Each structure stands twice: as C-alpha cells, then as structure tokens.
Amino acid sequence: MNAAHFSGIGMTSARTRGRLVQRLIAEGISNQQVLKAIEDTPRHVFIDEGLSHRAYEDTALPIGMGQTISQPYIVARMTQALLESGSMNKVLEIGTGCGYQTAILSKLCKTVFTVERIRALHMQARKTLGQLGIHNVQYLFADGFNGWMQNAPFDAIIVTAAPAQIPEKLLAQLADGGRMIIPVGQTETAQELILVERQGDEFKQTVIEKVKFVPLVSGVAR
C-alpha cells in the first residue's frame, strides 16, 4: 500500500471526507465526536485500491470473504447510539472485518477489544490499523458468539453482523449500565438494529431502525 493511498489524493482526499460528513449530518447524525472521527478516518485504506474511488460514497462495499465494510451512515448511527448513553472506556466489537468501525471506535474510547472469526480479515485489520498508528485496540481471532469473557464486563458492545437472536453470552458480558448495539434477524430483509441497555439483571431493548447486515456466523475460518 503506497504512501499516496494512505495520505489521500483526489477522490480519497480530506475534502471528499468532508462531503461525506455533510451527507451524514443531512441524514440525522448529530454527534460531533462521531462526525469528527469519520472525517479524520481514511476509509479508502480499508478497502481494495480498485474501489477507493467509491470509498466516500454512503454505501456498503465488499471486502472479500463474503464480507462488507458497512455503510458510513450505519457506522455513525451505531457509534452515536453507544455514545449517547454512558461510558466508553471498554468497548467490545464483534466482527472486526476490515477494521474501519474499529478505527472509528478507537478515537472515541479508551480501549477497543475486537473479535474476528476470519483469520485473513483479522490479520489485515491488525496491519492496517497499525499502519495508521492506532494502538488502543486489542485483537482476538475467535468465534464472536462467545465474546471475550476474559476482559468482561464491557461498557459497550457493538456487533457488526446479524444473529437470529441476541447471544446470551454477549448479554452476560455487558457491565451494569452498559449497552449493546446489534442487528438482529434471520434474513437480510427482516433485520432490526436494536439498542440493549442493561440495568442489573434487566435488559431493555429499543428498536432503532431497519437494517441489512451479513449474518453472524459461528466458528472460525482459518
């Protein structure tokens, strides 16, 4: 990956990122910290160079292995929902993918604990985030359904693929007062983005909006 790819020229420039931020504001994203994190993060370095001209479109894009980099609006919406309601010292991310959502979170919390089940994506995300100078992320190659019990409880959990129902193991790893943002649904046409807020042994669920994510799959792919 050459220096120009990281610094951003033409369609990958800071000006282009600024236009994306303006679109997100028009779509209802209002948290200034989230908008600043997106403006400062070069999305084009997380995708194949052949798609870099589309990096700042508000759309999901393929990253290989049957996975996608999420639409910037969805990244912003999920992150904003977590920030609105409490501490972000320890955040668990299920589904590292290419590492773009991880990068956004790294600018907004003390430590990100991120889990990825596909080894090639796990390794590439570590490399890309390291090249960007992001060092407050801990990585785990494992089945995301299990979370990361050794580092629980978490102030917040963000899940970037959709299970049929909310995994009990993830609920158990939420701190009291913590919250989780997760897409849930058995098919891509019937998924809802849900905010879960824990108060003691009670879990309040709020539907945010309809979404479309790849399914959350158990096991690992080496």
Side-chain angles (χ1 to χ4, degrees), residues 193-211:
L193 188 63
I194 296 175
L195 177 66
V196 181
E197 298 171 278
R198 181 172 190 171
Q199 296 296 334
D201 292 329
E202 299 294 319
F203 295 88
K204 176 188 174 184
Q205 295 187 21
T206 304
V207 176
I208 305 295
E209 61 185 82
K210 298 287 187 181
V211 289

Side-chain angles (χ1 to χ4, degrees), residues 28 30 39 85 88 90 94 104 112 134-135 138 150 201 215:
S30 59
E39 187 167 23
S85 51
M88 289 275 282
K90 289 176 62 180
I94 302 300
I104 300 298
V112 183
I134 294 172
H135 302 301
Q138 294 192 32
Q150 294 93 323
D201 292 329

Side-chain angles (χ1 to χ4, degrees), residues 142-160:
D143 184 337
F145 273 96
N146 296 324
W148 199 338
M149 181 58 76
Q150 294 93 323
N151 289 297
F154 298 97
D155 301 314
I157 298 175
I158 185 168
V159 184
T160 64

Side-chain angles (χ1 to χ4, degrees), residues 145 149 165-174 180 203:
F145 273 96
M149 181 58 76
Q165 56 191 15
I166 300 173
E168 291 290 335
K169 287 183 179 179
L170 297 185
L171 291 173
Q173 291 175 38
L174 265 184
M180 172 164 53
F203 295 88

Side-chain angles (χ1 to χ4, degrees), residues 27-218:
E27 291 171 353
I29 303 301
S30 59
N31 187 289
Q32 292 300 309
Q33 291 176 283
V34 174
L35 292 168
K36 181 71 162 58
I38 286 177
E39 187 167 23
D40 290 346
T41 302
R43 188 173 185 248
H44 62 279
V45 307
F46 293 93
I47 60 176
D48 186 270
E49 288 190 53
L51 288 172
S52 62
H53 65 288
R54 298 189 61 196
Y56 300 100
E57 295 176 10
D58 190 20
T59 187
L61 294 169
I63 57 170
M65 312 288 177
Q67 306 300 301
T68 59
I69 181 173
S70 292
Q71 176 189 2
Y73 167 77
I74 290 295
V75 170
R77 186 69 184 88
M78 294 175 77
T79 307
Q80 178 172 277
L82 292 182
L83 277 173
E84 283 173 348
S85 51
S87 169
M88 289 275 282
N89 284 329
K90 289 176 62 180
V91 176
L92 173 64
E93 178 188 34
I94 302 300
T96 316
C98 62
Y100 177 67
Q101 174 74 79
T102 320
I104 300 298
L105 291 169
S106 75
K107 299 175 186 295
L108 300 167
C109 65
K110 185 176 180 181
T111 309
V112 183
F113 297 85
T114 187
V115 181
E116 174 55 54
R117 64 172 293 273
I118 300 174
R119 181 176 287 280
L121 293 178
H122 165 77
M123 298 301 294
Q124 184 59 47
R126 290 185 71 142
K127 179 181 177 182
T128 303
L129 292 166
Q131 288 172 326
L132 288 173
I134 294 172
H135 302 301
N136 62 331
V137 177
Q138 294 192 32
Y139 305 87
L140 180 66
F141 169 61
D143 184 337
F145 273 96
N146 296 324
W148 199 338
M149 181 58 76
Q150 294 93 323
N151 289 297
F154 298 97
D155 301 314
I157 298 175
I158 185 168
V159 184
T160 64
Q165 56 191 15
I166 300 173
E168 291 290 335
K169 287 183 179 179
L170 297 185
L171 291 173
Q173 291 175 38
L174 265 184
D176 191 7
R179 60 261 174 242
M180 172 164 53
I181 190 88
I182 181 171
V184 180
Q186 290 186 319
T187 67
E188 289 187 4
T189 57
Q191 292 176 4
E192 294 177 326
L193 188 63
I194 296 175
L195 177 66
V196 181
E197 298 171 278
R198 181 172 190 171
Q199 296 296 334
D201 292 329
E202 299 294 319
F203 295 88
K204 176 188 174 184
Q205 295 187 21
T206 304
V207 176
I208 305 295
E209 61 185 82
K210 298 287 187 181
V211 289
K212 185 177 181 179
F213 278 78
V214 297
L216 185 66
V217 178
S218 61

